[in-house]
Amino acid sequence: MQETTTEAAPRTYWYPEREDITIYGILAALSDPTRLGIVRAIAAREECCPFDFLDVTSKQNLTHHFKVLRESGLVQARYEGRQKFVSLRRELIDDMFPGLLDGLLNAVAASEKR
Amino acid sequence: MQETTTEAAPRTYWYPEREDITIYGILAALSDPTRLGIVRAIAAREECCPFDFLDVTSKQNLTHHFKVLRESGLVQARYEGRQKFVSLRRELIDDMFPGLLDGLLNAVAASEKR
DNA sequence: TTATTAGTACAAGATGTATTGTACCATGCC
DNA sequence: GGCATGGTACAATACATCTTGTACTAATAA
């Protein structure tokens, strides 16, 4: 007999609504070297896979950091086969905090050119 | 007889050198509501006294938050009588991370105008 | 000199965070 | 089916952070 209980779809996660996103959560998310590196990489190439950062830290830790980024409101993810593709929630963040992401990423990039 | 041991001047504190200031420390410092409020107030009126924020939290906690701001490299302080006057290290931060402070403060201000 | 005031020092408790194990799930390939 | 792979769940640890108490210093005013 077919199982009829409704189960949550696998790999479906909670995302903060607009009113739950704060500048504090965003800045805290970006205050970690690993996570800022991830966000910079995503900003540069639209999407990225956690797998790309295995040289930085362990995969469990990457899961943790991507969770922090997701819960801050900064990123969203889609799953394709076994892979996860993460992207910035650009429109939302730019609408809520205009100039924040660009200003911050530019400032970080500029600070490295010395 | 006069005491001849050399003692540290009172209320003289350590400040991070340029090479010890990181974007991570700055973002972490700004990721707290109390501290971001303090920095916004300083940015608006050049200087401020911790005393101004006694309605926000206790004075011991203010000492703590101002210490975090100082050690991140964001602020400097001078003492006049009993009072402490805190200001942003604007030139340094703007030189190290051009556009960061303005972009961030503008984004926060804009997010409140809705 | 005594009291008051702005601020600090230090310890303690509660909470949050980063990281590493071990185990597990979901997908794709043989 | 069996196995490898990308990713997650959960517990445990170490460490950092926020906040409050109590006690203290430095400067002003009486």
Side-chain angles (χ1 to χ4, degrees), chain B residues 22-111:
Chain B
T22 67
I23 187 72
Y24 315 114
I26 289 177
L27 296 180
L30 295 175
S31 70
D32 178 273
T34 302
R35 289 194 295 261
L36 184 55
I38 291 171
V39 167
R40 293 182 69 191
I42 305 179
R45 65 179 96 128
E46 293 300 320
E47 273 189 331
C48 78
C49 308
F51 193 76
D52 302 336
F53 301 93
L54 269 183
D55 55 330
V56 178
T57 183
S58 67
K59 60 180 187 173
Q60 311 97 293
N61 202 19
L62 285 176
T63 297
H64 162 68
H65 285 309
F66 276 101
K67 182 184 179 190
V68 174
L69 287 173
R70 170 175 55 83
E71 294 183 341
S72 78
L74 275 169
V75 308
Q76 61 200 155
R78 66 184 179 86
Y79 292 84
E80 192 170 304
R82 294 185 269 204
Q83 280 190 74
K84 179 185 190 177
F85 293 90
V86 184
S87 57
L88 285 177
R89 299 176 73 180
R90 264 273 179 198
E91 319 94 87
L92 176 60
I93 303 299
D94 286 348
D95 186 57
M96 288 190 71
F97 305 103
L100 176 70
L101 234 42
D102 285 327
L104 209 148
L105 294 173
N106 283 337
V108 176
S111 74

Side-chain angles (χ1 to χ4, degrees), chain B residues 3-32:
Chain B
E3 182 65 70
T4 53
T5 55
T6 47
E7 294 176 13
R11 298 188 172 172
T12 302
Y13 299 95
W14 169 85
Y15 285 90
E17 295 298 324
R18 186 187 180 95
E19 59 266 24
D20 298 319
I21 297 176
T22 67
I23 187 72
Y24 315 114
I26 289 177
L27 296 180
L30 295 175
S31 70
D32 178 273

Side-chain angles (χ1 to χ4, degrees), chain A residues 68-83:
Chain A
V68 175
L69 288 173
R70 170 174 57 83
E71 293 183 342
S72 77
L74 275 170
V75 308
Q76 61 200 156
R78 67 183 177 86
Y79 292 84
E80 192 170 304
R82 293 183 272 206
Q83 278 190 75

